[in-house]
Amino acid sequence: MTIRLPHGTYEPRAVPLALAPHGAALTSRTVYSAAHVVADPYADVSPDGPAAVDWDATLAFRRHLWSHGLGVAEAMDTAQRGMGLDWSGAAELIRRSAAEAKAAGGTIVCGAGTDQLPPGPATLAQVTAAYEEQLALVESTGSRGVLMASRALAAAARGPEDYLAVYGHLLRQASRPVILHWLGPMFDPALDGYWGSTDLDAATETLLEVVAAHPDSVDGVKVSLLDARREIALRRRLPRGVRCYTGDDFHYPELIAGDDHGFSHALLGILDPLGPLAAEAVRVLDTGDRQGFRALLDPTVELSRHLFEPPTRFYKTGVVLLAWLAGHQAHFTMIGGLQSARSLPHLARAYELADRLGLFPDPLRAEARMKTFLALHGVDQ
């Protein structure tokens, strides 16, 4: 059997990887998958209207991740925060997922930001109050908070001192340690100059100053800069007990594997489609077999680099396509119509790379769905 793709014919694999749910927690690394949301395809909504979420399918996908021993990072940018999912929808997502985590015995952290603020300039006081509202909601569910990088703070801050003031206030209030999130401008151009400078060395110093002033209130720092050397240098300077969570979807195998001086934990969007395979790789790492871990995870980097190619913020489209092809949802529809954000050749290549890795539990179903998608776009089979 072959499938005709825009760049030529491809022979899909017939046998998937045999990765049954394991359930037991991973031990050598703390690993969170930033999970996507499933849109309700029958909702009569416009791209700029409130998000319509298929809650059953969305929560089922989280149970899938937990069943393999992964944690879930909820309401992060993978869930289209700031790109279709507003604060009202995110708050409901956090409530429902936190309750589901308790029922399933799953680990969860949840994003807290400032996206309930209206468009336009905001004062630092308003930014701080918005963070407080969201963090309070997250903590009320029993979840640990992830202080997401804020577009409003990036616009309002005059320099490093404003970041120190806002984050210091929030960390003094947090009822349990939080994760700080440094999301680079490749993921969101509005975050350019975060931590008070476009000079990444200077920005790093500000972030480290925040952590050093409140080490007991910081569980870890998630770094999403797609710069492995910078992440390694940062993690070596973190206070003892403060984790570095890699958000680098280009270099994650080497960063998680680590070196003689340490390693990164993980909070990654690519772990959405890679969930079972990534969990299996970390279980190998749990035995001390770094080489075996790399042998499993290194081949996935080509797919990840493809999904996260510029404009990186649209990586979510490929993630949801693969979820549909894998059978985790019944359609390829996204909040805000974001299914149109990537080209046909890009999505066809994503299918091919994922199939080569054996990521589809039912390769024949994935092939049939991909053929339907291709035919809809004029690529007859």
Side-chain angles (χ1 to χ4, degrees), residues 39 44 237 256 284 319 321 346:
D44 186 11
R237 296 179 62 192
I256 297 170
V284 171
V319 165
L321 174 82
H346 174 93

Side-chain angles (χ1 to χ4, degrees), residues 19 26 28-29 31 70 252-253 256 271 274-298 300:
L19 297 173
L26 307 175
S28 63
R29 304 290 187 271
V31 182
L70 297 169
Y252 52 94
I256 297 170
L271 298 185
L274 292 186
L277 177 56
E280 179 66 19
V282 177
R283 292 190 198 285
V284 171
L285 188 59
D286 289 346
T287 69
D289 185 357
R290 190 181 299 177
Q291 184 175 352
F293 166 80
R294 294 293 299 268
L296 282 172
L297 214 54
D298 281 359
T300 69

Side-chain angles (χ1 to χ4, degrees), residues 179-193:
I179 298 172
L180 304 182
H181 188 187
W182 187 1
L183 191 68
M186 68 289 293
F187 288 93
D188 187 343
L191 299 176
D192 192 29

Side-chain angles (χ1 to χ4, degrees), residues 128-129 132 163-174 214:
T128 303
E132 288 176 326
Y163 288 88
L164 293 170
V166 170
Y167 278 92
H169 179 84
L170 295 169
L171 291 174
R172 286 190 294 272
Q173 285 195 343
H214 309 277

